[in-house]
Amino acid sequence: MSQLSPEELVAQLKSITSNPPQSLTSNPELRNKLYHAAREAMLSFEENPNPISRIAVAQQAEWVALRTCCEMALFPALAESDTPKTLEQLVETTKADPTLLARFIRAGINFGSIKEVDSQHYVLASSHALLGDPKVADALPKFEESISEVTNIVSADFVHGTFYATPQLLQQTGYRNPEDPLNTAMQLAFNAPGKAPYEIFVSKPESAKAIGMILNAMGIPPSQQVQYTYPLQQELVDGFDKSESDAFLVDIGAGNAHVVSALRKAMPHIPGRLVAQDLAPVIASAPALAEPDEKQAHDFFTEQPIKHARAYYMRLCLHNWRDEPTRQILVRIREAMKPEYSRLLIHEMVIPALGSGSNDGATGGGHRRNVWAAVSDINQMGACASFERTEAEWAELLGEVGLEFKKVWYPQDPAAAAVIEARLRAVD
């Protein structure tokens, strides 16, 4: 097959961007591959000093633009109907100054949140459709909270504040790896020495409510749902034994029960119960589940009440904890597992070990470039003094509590979390 010239490739990309074919828009896996290939190309061809300008200036300006457009209710105004809007119509809806609004529309076009149909008409970009919901647009700016001037940061939120305070904390500690969850960048950012992240979170109910609104609206994209990475039918549905337990899957630390809801919708034939567990105030606020599925209050540091389930599942929980508390959590799960029958599925980012080579990650091992894993690792460092783990670190941690590490199931989407599988061997 002949290769496209660079000029032909650029023309092809422009054509796909302006008028994407249905075969692309209807295929999430293909869209993800194209996105990551384009990002790899951007990183390879970006010239100095563009990377520094993009990271230190452009990304901050994009957040300012996004927040301001939310506060002006510009995105919901664009989403009121499918008809493209003029500047005059948007001024009438938002009551904003025409000159100011035009500047932020121009910024939105360049940052990708707004599409210019022609020189006079604008629509909300499909990639930002979530912000067309007035409740979500209203919640996003409420991430931000004022903090003490001691940090030399004007304002911060649970994500931004932690990121911005991290360099200052590391400088203060002589660039030591954070190990104390009560002395992290989050405590510095919010002037809350000695308070656990959860305490800081619940002390700011408006921000906590806003974050919950955003997370509920976002849900879990299909490519990041467990059934698209781990072969549930072959590995779990086949071989399910109701006489052991009627619980098919127990989602521990389930939050708003999105996993259970999405799994039941995607695979309605799954036998037995799907159970969503979390702390009482958290699980109480989650939407109701249809029978036979259920919500259950549970602290994962205490005895697991459901014994011999086919699978115990945790999604993006254990990266909040350093090794010792993680071992305590895993021991509680191991105690409830049936040897040779129950499985433990840990749905987490798996970061590459340094010097591990290079591959696309589809079959495990090797280096897989994953910007979200890197972002999450730095976020965990600043918020919880914890970290994302490598495949070898997961295997070692599971072995220390008597569980057998079986495999890491890597997703097709390189930005998604992987599924670490462990089992409990029968005692000889």
Side-chain angles (χ1 to χ4, degrees):
M1 181 181 293
S2 60
Q3 228 178 10
L4 290 176
S5 69
E7 293 79 10
E8 290 171 328
L9 180 59
V10 169
Q12 190 83 312
L13 284 171
K14 286 183 175 180
S15 174
I16 289 175
T17 302
S18 61
N19 187 26
Q22 197 271 338
S23 60
L24 179 62
T25 58
S26 63
N27 188 331
E29 182 180 324
L30 185 58
R31 286 203 312 273
N32 276 321
K33 287 182 177 179
L34 179 60
Y35 168 83
H36 290 289
R39 187 176 185 280
E40 291 281 347
M42 183 270 289
L43 293 174
S44 297
F45 297 124
E46 197 171 25
E47 296 180 343
N48 283 320
N50 282 0
I52 297 171
S53 299
R54 171 172 53 81
I55 295 166
V57 181
Q59 289 176 355
Q60 315 311 314
E62 184 172 2
W63 169 250
V64 169
L66 192 73
R67 172 179 174 157
T68 304
C69 288
C70 286
E71 291 178 326
M72 291 191 296
L74 175 58
F75 295 138
L78 286 166
E80 279 180 349
S81 69
D82 294 332
T83 306
K85 303 293 193 303
T86 64
L87 174 63
E88 291 74 20
Q89 289 172 320
L90 293 169
V91 167
E92 178 65 26
T93 303
T94 64
K95 309 303 180 187
D97 176 79
T99 302
L100 180 72
L101 191 61
R103 294 177 72 179
F104 277 99
I105 289 174
R106 183 164 58 247
I109 291 168
N110 284 282
F111 288 132
S113 58
I114 297 171
K115 289 195 70 172
E116 189 176 31
V117 179
D118 56 43
S119 62
Q120 303 291 325
H121 294 86
Y122 313 98
V123 297
L124 183 62
S126 59
S127 58
H128 288 63
L130 193 62
L131 295 176
D133 182 337
K135 292 181 179 179
V136 176
D138 181 61
L140 189 66
K142 291 178 182 173
F143 270 8
E144 296 210 330
E145 293 283 343
S146 295
I147 60 171
S148 167
E149 293 181 1
V150 161
T151 62
N152 296 316
I153 305 167
V154 177
S155 68
D157 61 35
F158 287 100
V159 176
H160 288 180
T162 299
F163 280 146
Y164 295 158
T166 296
Q168 186 175 349
L169 177 79
L170 295 176
Q171 185 181 44
Q172 291 177 359
T173 61
Y175 298 96
R176 300 300 178 191
N177 191 47
E179 296 184 351
D180 182 359
L182 299 182
N183 182 27
T184 71
M186 181 175 282
Q187 282 87 17
L188 179 61
F190 291 98
N191 193 26
K195 284 191 175 181
Y198 180 76
E199 292 178 283
I200 298 173
F201 186 79
V202 298
S203 72
K204 301 177 180 296
E206 285 301 313
S207 291
K209 182 179 178 182
I211 291 172
M213 170 68 73
I214 298 293
L215 294 177
N216 279 326
M218 290 173 64
I220 304 173
S223 65
Q224 297 181 29
Q225 293 172 14
V226 62
Q227 67 272 18
Y228 293 102
T229 298
Y230 184 81
L232 288 172
Q233 180 66 47
Q234 299 93 318
E235 296 293 330
L236 296 181
V237 175
D238 297 346
F240 175 70
D241 185 352
K242 193 173 182 179
S243 68
E244 291 289 352
S245 169
D246 67 347
F248 178 80
L249 181 141
V250 181
D251 182 6
I252 305 166
N256 52 23
H258 271 161
V259 168
V260 166
S261 298
L263 181 56
R264 180 61 74 185
K265 183 178 180 181
M267 301 180 68
H269 66 282
I270 282 179
R273 291 182 298 149
L274 303 177
V275 182
Q277 294 180 337
D278 213 312
L279 296 173
V282 177
I283 204 66
S285 64
L289 299 174
E291 293 185 356
D293 304 333
E294 66 172 296
K295 302 188 299 178
Q296 185 179 77
H298 174 59
D299 178 345
F300 50 47
F301 284 106
T302 64
E303 181 181 351
Q304 172 57 242
I306 298 180
K307 313 295 186 185
H308 297 181
R310 184 67 166 132
Y312 297 91
Y313 172 85
M314 299 190 81
R315 182 178 188 272
L316 303 181
C317 287
L318 295 179
H319 70 171
N320 294 325
W321 302 94
R322 296 185 61 79
D323 285 349
E324 180 51 35
T326 297
R327 281 189 283 266
Q328 295 172 22
I329 296 166
L330 292 173
V331 165
R332 289 302 192 181
I333 298 172
R334 186 207 67 203
E335 291 170 346
M337 293 173 69
K338 171 76 172 179
E340 305 291 352
Y341 175 73
S342 299
R343 313 283 177 87
L344 171 59
L345 305 179
I346 303 170
H347 207 162
E348 293 272 2
M349 293 291 185
V350 176
I351 59 172
L354 292 178
S356 59
S358 177
N359 66 37
D360 63 8
T363 57
H367 177 84
R368 37 192 283 120
R369 179 177 284 178
N370 184 340
V371 67
W372 285 110
V375 168
S376 183
D377 189 49
I378 294 173
N379 183 51
Q380 296 308 120
M381 176 199 301
C384 306
S386 58
F387 42 83
E388 302 295 349
R389 295 173 169 94
T390 66
E391 184 171 321
E393 287 169 338
W394 278 115
E396 181 179 2
L397 194 59
L398 290 163
E400 287 172 350
V401 298
L403 289 167
E404 180 186 8
F405 169 82
K406 293 298 293 185
K407 179 178 180 178
V408 174
W409 300 80
Y410 286 98
Q412 289 298 317
D413 178 359
V419 176
I420 302 108
E421 180 183 0
R423 305 183 190 183
L424 181 60
R425 281 183 173 173
V427 178
D428 295 331

